[in-house]
Amino acid sequence: MAHKCFISFKTEDISYKEEIQDDLDIDMIDKSLNEAIDSDDEDYIMRKIREDYLSDSTVTIHLIGSYSAENSWLQNQIYIKRELQASLYNGENNTKNGILGVALPSMYGNIYKGEYTCSSCGGTHNYVSINNETVVKEFSYNYYIPKDSGCCWSEEDRYCVLVKWDDFKEDPNKYIDKAFDKKSSPISSKTKVRP
Ligand SMILES: [Zn+2]
């Protein structure tokens, strides 16, 4: 079954959004939030986003490029932050979306930093750099959801799903399904809308 997707992206990465739209077989809602909603009332804005943009989508595809970090210099992240917040919001007629982060090629080196030997368990883990230098907090918090014990995060400990663009392109619906399934998994109760 195809899940309806909303794509959250920075204008600089629009070519990837267009490629998803034109070349990949994905059922998506083509709306983006680049035109501002004219209001100072944050609750109203969030409600509008949910109603007008996200209401019938179940998965949010978040493109992670060179301009999407919390600490990106001179970047206004208000739109992608709101889109992710609205996606994570669990409302009465509008349950939260699954979140699929797609790391764009320019970010591979910044995010996937190889393996390291863990000082706490002695095992080998992958170093996946998802933090304020690579993504906004709404993504990083719900990727590395704080936990009480253990040295690393297993797939079940995360709400956000992360995939490289090249892998995503090969089989988009596999990863969309994975993000969709998170909605009904236990970790879904631990997400945060505004970290
Ligand atoms: Zn370990």
Side-chain angles (χ1 to χ4, degrees), residues 9 13 28 36 38 44 53 55 59-60 70 78-79 82-83 89 97 99-100 110 115 134 138 140 144 149 173 186-187:
F9 65 101
D13 299 318
M28 63 174 267
D38 190 20
Y44 170 79
Y53 297 83
S55 57
V59 172
T60 295
E70 186 78 30
I78 188 78
Y79 297 115
R82 280 175 177 161
E83 287 166 347
Y89 184 87
N97 279 10
I99 310 281
L100 175 60
N110 296 321
E115 295 180 329
T134 51
E138 285 72 10
S140 58
Y144 287 126
S149 61
N173 288 302
I187 196 68

Side-chain angles (χ1 to χ4, degrees), residues 116-125 150-152:
Y116 66 97
T117 305
C118 177
S119 57
S120 121
C121 76
T124 306
H125 305 312
C151 53
C152 62

Side-chain angles (χ1 to χ4, degrees), residues 95-110:
T95 58
K96 81 177 87 169
N97 279 10
I99 310 281
L100 175 60
V102 178
L104 300 179
S106 65
M107 291 301 283
Y108 289 179
N110 296 321

Side-chain angles (χ1 to χ4, degrees), residues 120-134:
S120 121
C121 76
T124 306
H125 305 312
N126 289 314
Y127 184 43
V128 181
S129 184
I130 288 295
N131 51 44
N132 289 346
E133 306 303 320
T134 51

